[in-house]
Amino acid sequence: MADLVAELGEGAVLTEPAALRLYGHDASTIRGDAPPVVCLPRTSRQVATCVRVAVAHGRPFMARGAGTGLAGGAVPTGDPVVIVTTRMDRVLHLDVPGRRAWVQPGVLNLDLDRRLAPHGLQFAPDPSSQQACTIGGNVANNSGGPHCLALGVTSAHVLAVEVVLPDGEVVVLGGDGPEPPGYDLRGAFVGSEGTLGVATAVLVRLTPLPPAVETMLVTFDDLDRAAATVSAIIAAGIVPAALEMMDGGLAAVVEDFCGAGYPRDAAAVLLVEVDGPPHQVAADAAVVEAIARAEQARAVRGAADDAERAALWKGRKSAFGAIARIRPDYYLHDTVVPRAALVDVLRQVRAIAEDCDLLVFNVFHAGDGNLHPLLLFDAREPGVMDRVHSAGRRIVEVSLAAGGVLSGEHGIGLEKRGFMADMFGPADLEAQARLRCAFDPEGRSNPDKVLPGGSRCGDLAGGPASPGSAGPGAGAGDAAEAGLWV
Amino acid sequence: MQDARRGPLGLDGDTLAGCVQCGLCLPHCPTFRVSGEEARSPRGRIDAMRDVEWRGAPVGAGFAEAIDSCVGCRGCETACPSGVHFGELLEGTRHALAAGAGPSPVGPLQRWGLARLDRPRLLRAGALALAVAQRVGMGGVTRRRNLPLLPVRREPLRSTGDDVVLLTGCVMDAVQRDVHAAAVRVLTAAGFGVRVQPRPGCCGALAAHAGLSGLAARQVDALAAGLPAGVPVLVDSAGCGAAVLEAGRRPGAPAAVVSLSERAVDISTFLARELRRLPAPSPDAARPVVAVQDPCHLRHVQHAHECVHEVLARYVEVRALDDEGLCCGAGGSYSLRHPGEAAAIRERKLAAIGRTGAPVVASANPGCALHLAAGGATVLHPVQVIDRMCRTGSLAP
Amino acid sequence: MGVSAAGRPAPFAAMDALALEVGPTGPVAAVGGGTRGDLGGALDAGTRTVGAPQGILALCPEELVVTVGAGTPTTELEAALAEVGQMVALPVAEGSTVGGTLAAGHSSLHALALGPARDALLQARAVDAWGRVVTAGGPTVKNVSGFDLCRLLVGSLGTLALLGEVTLRTRPRWRAGVWVAGVADPAGVLAAGAGPTALLWDGERVWAHLAGHTDDVAAAAARLAALGCDAVVDGPPPLPPHRGSVAPSTVGELPAGHGGGFVAELGVGTVHTQRAPEAPAMPRRLHELHCSVKARFDPDGRLAPGRSPLHGVRVTG
């Protein structure tokens, strides 16, 4: 504690129990214990110091951004030193013609977009939490969002990451060029949920804002037709900028809440957005409309201007606000299934919810099969949490059985650690553990996340200690030499 | 264990249960923006309240500090997807602390001061003393407490009729009479006779924000009792407007208070309805560029900030800020009690104003105006903008 | 392995056979078409070679994925996808295999629009250093379950595991494209926002590939013609043999170092040069990290011995 205060200053180290308790959880339903100390560094060098001090005292460490994660990735385990990146909120260097920027991990996703908009650029990953989540969090979770169907998830938009390794040394993974030498450690780091080290600066790739956009709200009386429309759009050679589906019940609730023009009595609605060069967009929009009508869509409503487009999206984004009036709590699930299996899985999800006596609504990124069942409940009801978790387990099982994966956006964290063995075999998990051990042989960085217990470095067959690995307390001199953002 | 019984803070269980800890409020909270700390965010404050109400945590100095550090801007309410009434939780907690549930930051001097807000002569004397002191070398002290140069002279204010009543308030009447004078001129020019109260009284906003709800209730009750009935009550202070609006919802509020909250309307909302009656701008008059700051109590509580933009657009080129109404840090008495934080929060607002390129900013709240002016901005009340454009065709006084 | 609702895919006979062939010990390397055997240093003499399974296993255009044996020729994959109006973001060359292309990790000439090769691999079934089949990634276009080993494998030159079957992300094939060229300022062309899929520069001339809707292509061509790229050509210029990677914003410095002997991919930073590029520098700790990864995945160094993605790197610090 004293070491941390000496290096960071009193205002940057939290030790008061009431304040520490607030860091015992993130935005998921998983609660952990209050960590022993929370640090709020401002520079890469200070982060490296936090890590070194933690290691020198034999403690693990854990990074945290805004704490909006839904899988428990930022829930403290093992009494770690928590390193909060919220004060590292500067854009370090913006290169408009080069379409890239070095940013600190605490920059908020939407703040970055706002800063870029006057230059005609954006940072493509747009998770629903984008107004609050940090770039560092996006990197840790390999975040997606509705617009990732065409543009790709965070990994496709990160060129390099400056990382404080679990031994306190600082390296830059990836680089400014397209094919840096060696392995794609940058790619391995993105989505590693804070288990390989702490990102202290990120070189993000910026995407030009599209010249033309068309947004349409399509109403269906039949869920199968809605799903068929999604497949048909893809089969027609169109990859929309966004392709969101909401079940009819949610659309009705949303309409009651914010009057965005959604139908109250449909089976499903589709929000389709196509963007790109103007003629392409016009042609694609026409094809989408034709397909929708061929699939007996009840209505196709295109946005005439930006204001109307914002109104259509408002409906989609108001989903949480709308359901809050029905029940005070919700559990947002996250699975991915092949698009062809979407309707079938949806039916099974509804059956599970009914079986567990819970309300469920569904919103999904239909374009990439990313399903988000929303279970509604009142947490104060005795015994309800057991039913909620049971429903969650069964939803995961159903998704895997349909040929899907465990998570499309939220990550594994603590929430789905227990399911990893259902998706991956022992050799697969071992391979993942090897990656982790190469970075963190002693398991100090956000321990107990992602991989189920038992995948420890010592248990792995073979594997001598990495040659010449530096011990704790190694200086950061090399970092400055390498031109890092310390 | 969470249950519906009220704990030491006496908060409503359903209201407290509504938060799902999603964190979407964080970027809209000024104290979170400048500190990066969970305890200084709405989510963290609610979680701390739950620790006390539901989980038996002690009401210690840390908790009191977390609650006291909140500006009370309610920007989190606008952002919350679950519709949590944070303002209700905050004032309830402050009330409990002030009543002795735990260490309260509201000291005896502050209580004395808040109880004296309905004494106009006392306020005027105090303001005059400060104004003089600022001019004989104490300017630095008051600047650190986020106060700009206060006026020494005060215009007389005269009624021009009985169509509407203008609520002149307490602090605003003592130090910003010129805004009230401009309001009277504008309303009169639009054909409305304005009654100005000789002994206005206080709406109770500052007391309510400090958790002294008993005092706040007494103050607003006295104010309402002294107002003529049946006519619209115009308010040119966003903070007072919000307080008056919410006073009517208090269980057991007297009929006069309920009537007041129904008749009270922000002056810009009123003018927006009567736009045709306002003097037309001269067609070849230059349209100066004016940035508009949306006071939190106008935007997040009254939801009436767009009327200001609408009315001003008739006379000047309006530039909205790009920060979604993030608080400026004035917060009633916040800038006096937490000058460092208030100044840090102000930096962000000044930067947003700077990004518009406008040399002048319009603010419909006296507290915000004083706070921004102390930070170097040139601030006018929207009615002052209209008044000056009508009388001189420019923003010159 | 189809992406059907019938259940999770069972191990294919071909993968088991590959695993048996690789076995648990002894030096071994995968060989594709042998077109880029020069990458990463020469294999140790006496290294046994194996070939990955070939053939299209599952083509699912509506799911935007395709699963193939890693030994499948890239030309065969391209043809099969073209039939359903799709393509992948990998370079296609006579003689090269899908697995080899992924192991080399080089992106196509159209990376400006398609993205790098590493973003194309969704799931891989590979044989590890212990001769076991491991699965990395997942069969869907969106997946954040566990660590992203697929990205680790792309460009790894077969030194961490041997690719057997891969599932790739597909995209609609673009409609008729056209190459235009002319003497123009590279910065100006890049900033013109004409949406080219490839932009090449040899220090003097700029080549641009435009594809998409006919009217958009015509508009883009006109914009580029105004800047100097006014000739329609058959294709890109011949590419010099060596390949380097620079920050795209530094492409302007290339003529000073390479004279006329280079072709650079604008906006991407891949440079094709006559002269071999300078050895890239790598800080000591980073080099250790790469070596540590290799040591964990292949403690005995039996996979592709002698070959390494770190070949020729100059360790600094």
Side-chain angles (χ1 to χ4, degrees):
Chain A
M1 231 65 72
D3 294 342
L4 287 169
V5 171
E7 301 272 1
L8 299 174
E10 235 177 72
V13 180
L14 304 179
T15 52
E16 207 254 320
L20 292 175
R21 249 202 306 274
L22 303 177
Y23 289 92
H25 65 95
D26 57 13
S28 71
T29 57
I30 303 170
R31 281 201 86 94
D33 294 323
V37 66
V38 169
C39 307
L40 295 118
R42 285 194 189 273
T43 65
S44 309
R45 196 186 299 275
Q46 287 183 341
V47 173
T49 301
C50 294
V51 170
R52 277 202 297 279
V53 169
V55 162
H57 288 267
R59 283 201 186 275
F61 60 91
M62 185 194 87
R64 174 189 171 113
T68 56
L70 292 168
V75 172
T77 49
D79 287 331
V81 169
V82 173
I83 302 171
V84 173
T85 61
T86 54
R87 290 182 182 171
M88 298 176 71
D89 62 354
R90 293 183 300 133
V91 171
L92 297 166
H93 178 68
L94 173 57
D95 174 8
V96 173
R99 294 189 192 152
R100 51 198 57 202
W102 274 103
V103 303
Q104 287 192 308
V107 170
L108 303 188
N109 183 296
L110 193 56
D111 280 354
L112 181 58
D113 273 345
R114 282 205 200 105
R115 171 84 182 260
L116 298 172
H119 300 284
L121 296 170
Q122 62 177 331
F123 178 59
D126 60 342
S128 305
S129 56
Q130 67 175 153
Q131 57 179 306
C133 64
T134 61
I135 300 295
N138 294 155
V139 168
N141 285 315
N142 200 0
S143 301
H147 284 84
C148 284
L149 174 57
L151 294 172
V153 293
T154 300
S155 191
H157 300 277
V158 170
L159 297 167
V161 197
E162 179 189 80
V163 175
V164 173
L165 294 172
D167 63 1
E169 292 221 45
V170 187
V171 292
V172 174
L173 306 177
D176 230 347
E179 288 162 12
Y183 300 111
D184 187 10
L185 299 184
R186 166 220 70 94
F189 187 87
V190 177
S192 61
E193 304 192 36
T195 59
L196 304 183
V198 182
T200 51
V202 185
L203 181 62
V204 292
R205 185 166 77 91
L206 308 176
T207 315
L209 293 168
V213 186
E214 285 274 2
T215 313
M216 291 157 273
L217 183 71
V218 189
T219 308
F220 289 91
D221 290 317
D222 183 330
L223 190 60
D224 288 287
R225 295 285 195 173
T229 303
V230 170
S231 295
I233 290 173
I234 306 286
I238 298 173
V239 182
L243 188 46
E244 302 284 285
M245 178 145 53
M246 291 202 302
D247 64 16
L250 186 56
V253 169
V254 156
E255 187 59 16
D256 283 338
F257 178 67
C258 73
Y262 280 49
R264 284 198 173 80
D265 56 350
V269 297
L270 270 188
L271 187 61
V272 190
E273 190 163 278
V274 288
D275 70 19
H279 296 98
Q280 180 86 53
V281 167
D284 286 350
V287 170
V288 168
E289 179 161 353
I291 291 174
R293 295 205 187 277
E295 291 292 344
Q296 319 289 340
R298 190 207 300 178
V300 179
R301 196 175 117 219
D305 54 24
D306 279 343
E308 242 196 276
R309 178 165 316 112
L312 290 181
W313 275 103
K314 182 176 161 207
R316 163 68 182 88
K317 291 181 176 174
S318 300
F320 297 133
I323 62 178
R325 301 152 108 224
I326 303 179
R327 292 278 191 285
D329 296 287
Y330 63 82
Y331 191 169
L332 180 67
H333 282 276
D334 169 51
T335 63
V336 183
V337 297
R339 235 173 281 105
L342 210 49
V343 175
D344 192 49
V345 170
L346 199 53
R347 291 209 179 94
Q348 293 187 64
V349 166
R350 285 200 182 138
I352 292 169
E354 216 180 284
D355 203 41
C356 295
D357 197 22
L358 295 166
L359 269 180
V360 69
F361 290 116
N362 290 282
V363 53
F364 20 116
H365 308 303
D368 41 37
N370 192 186
L371 183 60
H372 288 302
L374 265 168
L375 292 178
L376 273 56
F377 58 97
D378 186 332
R380 294 169 298 175
E381 202 190 302
V384 73
M385 289 318 295
D386 285 335
R387 299 201 321 267
V388 168
H389 287 130
S390 164
R393 264 195 304 279
R394 290 167 64 180
I395 290 173
V396 169
E397 283 160 15
V398 157
S399 308
L400 285 180
V405 300
L406 285 178
S407 172
E409 292 178 323
H410 298 175
I412 301 298
L414 287 172
E415 187 198 11
K416 292 188 172 152
R417 194 179 50 175
F419 294 106
M420 286 289 277
D422 294 331
M423 179 172 168
F424 296 108
D428 308 332
L429 291 175
E430 248 184 65
Q432 295 191 31
R434 283 175 206 291
L435 169 64
R436 186 168 179 172
C437 292
F439 276 78
D440 187 18
E442 275 149 74
R444 297 181 188 133
S445 186
N446 206 10
D448 304 326
K449 304 287 167 61
V450 186
L451 292 177
S455 313
R456 295 241 171 271
C457 302
D459 298 346
L460 297 174
S466 61
S469 59
D478 317 15
E481 253 174 58
L484 301 175
W485 292 105
V486 281
Chain B
M1 273 311 296
Q2 307 161 351
D3 59 30
R5 278 196 329 252
R6 296 198 177 215
L9 302 174
L11 299 174
D12 176 66
D14 285 335
T15 310
L16 198 52
C19 170
V20 295
Q21 301 278 294
C22 69
L24 292 186
C25 51
L26 265 50
H28 301 272
C29 173
T31 57
F32 178 78
R33 281 289 199 167
V34 303
S35 71
E37 289 173 43
E38 191 69 23
R40 288 166 132 80
S41 76
R43 174 174 66 175
R45 292 184 177 111
I46 289 178
D47 204 25
M49 292 173 193
R50 287 174 169 179
D51 275 348
V52 168
E53 280 287 83
W54 294 344
R55 304 180 194 122
V59 184
F63 176 75
E65 213 272 318
I67 299 301
D68 188 50
S69 67
C70 174
V71 184
C73 69
R74 309 201 13 206
C76 52
E77 287 187 13
T78 306
C80 177
S82 298
V84 175
H85 295 297
F86 184 82
E88 195 187 300
L89 293 172
L90 179 71
E91 285 190 9
T93 304
R94 285 183 168 166
H95 171 80
L97 289 175
S104 171
V106 187
L109 182 62
Q110 198 181 346
R111 282 175 205 250
W112 181 88
L114 287 171
R116 302 273 148 350
L117 287 176
D118 52 7
R119 306 274 202 85
R121 276 203 281 266
L122 192 57
L123 283 173
R124 183 61 199 140
L128 190 54
L130 262 177
V132 168
Q134 283 177 326
R135 286 160 175 77
V136 296
M138 282 192 62
V141 173
T142 54
R143 219 177 4 261
R144 272 196 294 284
R145 289 272 155 179
N146 296 308
L147 277 177
L149 205 57
L150 298 174
V152 174
R153 279 195 48 229
R154 193 170 70 153
E155 300 188 38
L157 210 52
R158 274 182 261 285
S159 300
T160 60
D162 281 296
D163 298 312
V164 297
V165 174
L166 179 68
L167 206 61
T168 48
C170 57
V171 174
M172 194 172 178
D173 198 38
V175 302
Q176 286 176 323
R177 249 309 163 76
D178 49 347
V179 174
H180 291 323
V184 171
R185 280 194 294 272
V186 168
L187 287 165
T188 309
F192 294 96
V194 186
R195 170 134 313 272
V196 184
Q197 293 294 91
R199 302 177 75 84
C202 174
C203 69
L206 289 178
H209 297 156
L212 305 177
S213 29
L215 173 61
R218 285 194 297 282
Q219 287 173 331
V220 73
D221 289 353
L223 173 74
L227 287 172
V231 287
V233 177
L234 303 197
V235 191
D236 55 8
S237 155
C240 303
V244 160
L245 197 73
E246 299 200 311
R249 298 200 202 113
R250 189 178 89 230
V257 171
V258 175
S259 161
L260 170 60
S261 80
E262 282 162 7
R263 289 180 292 133
V265 60
D266 182 81
I267 191 169
S268 297
T269 307
F270 184 82
L271 292 174
R273 282 187 222 144
E274 309 291 345
L275 217 45
R276 294 160 289 111
R277 296 175 64 163
L278 283 171
S282 162
D284 43 66
R287 286 167 59 89
V289 176
V290 174
V292 178
Q293 177 254 0
D294 299 323
C296 295
H297 283 89
L298 194 57
R299 181 164 174 153
H300 301 302
V301 182
Q302 297 186 55
H303 307 293
H305 63 289
E306 280 166 6
C307 296
V308 175
H309 296 246
E310 205 186 315
V311 172
L312 287 180
R314 193 172 153 80
Y315 298 96
V316 299
E317 187 193 314
V318 170
R319 298 245 176 104
L321 302 183
D322 62 4
D323 62 359
E324 292 186 301
L326 187 70
C327 181
C328 70
S333 59
Y334 187 85
S335 55
L336 298 170
R337 293 181 288 114
H338 297 275
E341 280 97 329
I345 296 169
R346 179 177 55 204
E347 281 315 302
R348 301 187 89 103
K349 184 57 81 176
L350 292 174
I353 295 169
R355 285 195 290 276
T356 64
V360 174
V361 57
S363 171
N365 193 44
C368 304
L370 290 173
H371 186 56
L372 290 172
T378 307
V379 193
L380 292 175
H381 192 286
V383 292
Q384 285 180 305
V385 172
I386 300 169
D387 178 49
R388 292 178 187 200
M389 288 304 292
C390 288
R391 284 190 295 116
T392 71
S394 76
L395 292 180
Chain C
M1 178 176 72
V3 282
S4 67
R8 295 182 52 228
F12 263 60
M15 274 310 296
D16 287 343
L18 177 64
L20 268 175
E21 234 194 297
V22 170
T25 55
V28 65
V31 158
T35 55
R36 296 311 305 268
D38 57 308
L39 289 176
L43 276 179
D44 284 358
T47 305
R48 197 162 48 91
T49 59
V50 297
Q54 295 191 27
I56 316 269
L57 296 164
L59 182 48
C60 311
E62 346 65 66
E63 301 291 339
L64 294 176
V65 296
V66 62
T67 304
V68 301
T72 310
T74 51
T75 48
E76 190 183 311
L77 174 62
E78 185 188 34
L81 288 174
E83 260 176 57
V84 292
Q86 294 201 322
M87 61 190 292
V88 280
L90 292 178
V92 175
E94 205 56 55
S96 71
T97 59
V98 173
T101 305
L102 289 168
H106 294 165
S107 304
S108 94
L109 206 57
H110 302 272
L112 186 59
L114 297 179
R118 65 193 181 208
D119 289 346
L121 183 61
L122 297 173
Q123 181 172 276
R125 309 183 85 198
V127 180
D128 70 6
W130 290 267
R132 301 174 301 182
V133 176
V134 297
T135 304
T140 53
V141 294
K142 206 157 174 199
N143 173 31
V144 291
S145 318
F147 295 92
D148 191 352
L149 295 181
C150 281
R151 287 212 164 72
L152 197 60
L153 290 174
V154 174
S156 63
L157 294 176
T159 57
L160 300 178
L162 306 182
L163 293 172
E165 275 165 26
V166 294
T167 301
L168 304 170
R169 177 201 307 270
T170 63
R171 41 154 298 140
R173 188 171 194 75
W174 46 51
R175 283 157 259 195
V178 63
W179 280 97
V180 296
V183 175
D185 170 42
V189 175
L190 201 51
T197 71
L199 268 182
L200 307 174
W201 183 57
D202 67 357
E204 207 189 303
R205 293 189 85 198
V206 171
W207 284 258
H209 182 257
L210 304 168
H213 191 283
T214 341
D215 294 336
D216 291 321
V217 168
R223 216 177 306 165
L224 291 181
L227 292 169
C229 291
D230 47 11
V232 173
V233 296
D234 290 331
L239 298 176
H242 294 280
R243 188 179 182 101
S245 166
V246 303
S249 53
T250 63
V251 159
E253 295 156 27
L254 286 168
H258 290 267
F262 74 92
V263 173
E265 297 181 29
L266 296 175
V268 172
T270 302
V271 195
H272 309 264
T273 55
Q274 289 291 357
R275 255 187 17 227
E278 248 179 57
M282 187 181 281
R284 175 199 51 84
R285 182 66 185 95
L286 183 58
H287 191 260
E288 270 167 28
L289 191 57
H290 284 274
C291 294
S292 169
V293 169
K294 166 68 175 175
R296 291 280 175 181
F297 278 80
D298 183 16
D300 298 331
R302 62 176 290 235
L303 298 179
R307 185 173 281 164
S308 168
L310 296 171
H311 179 74
V313 159
R314 188 171 45 96
V315 184
T316 62

